[in-house]
Amino acid sequence: MTTVTASRDAAGPASASSVPPRSRGRLDWRLRFAALSLIWGFSFLLIKVGTDGYAPFQVTLGRLVFGTAVLAAAMAVKRERLPRGARTWGHLTVAAFLLNALPFSLFAYSELTIPSTLAGICNATSPLWGMALSMVALSEDRPTRVRVAGLGIGFIGVLTVLGAWQGFHGLDATGTAMALLASLSYPIGWIYVRRTLAGAGESHLSLTGAQLLLATVQLAVVTPLFTSVPTSFSLVPLLAIVALGALGTGLAVLLQYGLVAEVGPTTAQMVTYFIPVIATAAGVAVLGESLAWSTPVGAVIVLAGAALTQVRRSG
């Protein structure tokens, strides 16, 4: 989801030496896959609850602080060091903005005016944006007819979710645009990372820890400029922010990289297709958000299109 980090796109299939035997840990990776789907799916609900008591930038800053703390603890346990080299840190600064600071902030602002269900579905458009951008930016990633068809189907799904035939009636255009822009920011960041950090000698944990640290610094600079210190601290929204950071950002990243190492990036990325389903169920069941027929129908079309864009040429 929203917590995809610098090394996600750079990660290739795990080597034979790094993948446990199939007879070992099969149930374990499935449980972690389910946990990751739930954590990222509920993240949109947590954002909505967090913004009930705090400004969007404050929600994002808190999310990054607690997420970075989890990564820092993991690095300490594994005795990992932060990356070295000004060039690496420079690229990580850009990655932190595109993959963390910008999309996290945009989602937080968008949920001031749109339901968490819609934000979760907008997040599912990331593979569609990625496919469209890869046609231009990645010469080695040429599209097939199936993937182009998936792109078209996916955007039909987006129009269905938004109720285009009704003239987008009742839809907050600004909030929806922010959520879609946040989803667009992820593949832009992935492509940037693929071009600049794919060959970095540092571990994924080290790169991601540094990336989250830099995103935290970015929000720490911006937040005081646009918000004031809260006069009171609402407990439930504060707990939502803690959970959003520690679980939805920190723990989720660790789960994701464990899955990539064990079952490979293709299987691990399938979690993307469960996030909007869980986000929608959580928004309706917990927050009581309304749900028009076009929302789940459009979401299914979006996910079908996104799945087709991931189909690779065989052989």
Side-chain angles (χ1 to χ4, degrees), residues 29-226:
W29 82 257
R30 292 178 187 275
L31 286 174
R32 284 183 282 126
F33 183 96
L36 183 58
S37 301
L38 286 171
I39 289 171
W40 273 343
F42 270 87
S43 291
F44 296 95
L45 179 150
L46 294 174
I47 292 171
K48 174 68 82 173
V49 175
T51 54
D52 284 342
Y54 301 93
F57 275 138
Q58 293 169 345
V59 172
T60 304
L61 176 59
R63 174 183 189 172
L64 288 167
V65 166
F66 290 107
T68 301
V70 171
L71 267 293
M75 290 179 65
V77 169
K78 295 188 176 184
R79 298 183 180 181
E80 293 266 5
R81 295 181 178 180
L82 289 172
R84 298 179 180 179
R87 178 181 176 277
T88 298
W89 280 91
H91 290 315
L92 283 173
T93 299
V94 178
F97 176 74
L98 293 173
L99 291 169
N100 301 113
L102 179 61
F104 288 4
S105 298
L106 287 171
F107 272 124
Y109 268 101
S110 75
E111 291 199 39
L112 290 177
T113 55
I114 68 172
S116 64
T117 54
L118 179 55
I121 292 171
C122 286
N123 180 74
T125 64
S126 281
L128 303 178
W129 297 122
M131 170 63 188
L133 290 171
S134 68
M135 292 182 183
V136 178
L138 298 175
S139 58
E140 72 275 17
D141 192 16
R142 304 320 307 168
T144 62
R145 290 182 179 179
V146 171
R147 299 179 70 195
V148 172
L151 184 63
I153 291 171
F155 281 111
I156 290 174
V158 172
L159 294 176
T160 303
V161 170
L162 301 183
W165 66 93
Q166 298 175 331
F168 308 107
H169 177 69
L171 187 73
D172 183 82
T174 301
T176 304
M178 284 184 176
L180 290 172
L181 183 59
S183 303
L184 172 61
S185 180
Y186 288 128
I188 292 174
W190 299 335
I191 290 173
Y192 179 83
V193 165
R194 185 169 173 176
R195 286 183 172 276
T196 60
L197 290 170
E202 310 288 347
S203 71
H204 293 326
L205 180 58
S206 175
L207 289 171
T208 305
Q211 179 184 310
L212 285 182
L213 176 61
L214 288 166
T216 303
V217 171
Q218 291 169 0
L219 261 294
V221 171
V222 170
T223 301
L225 300 177
F226 295 93

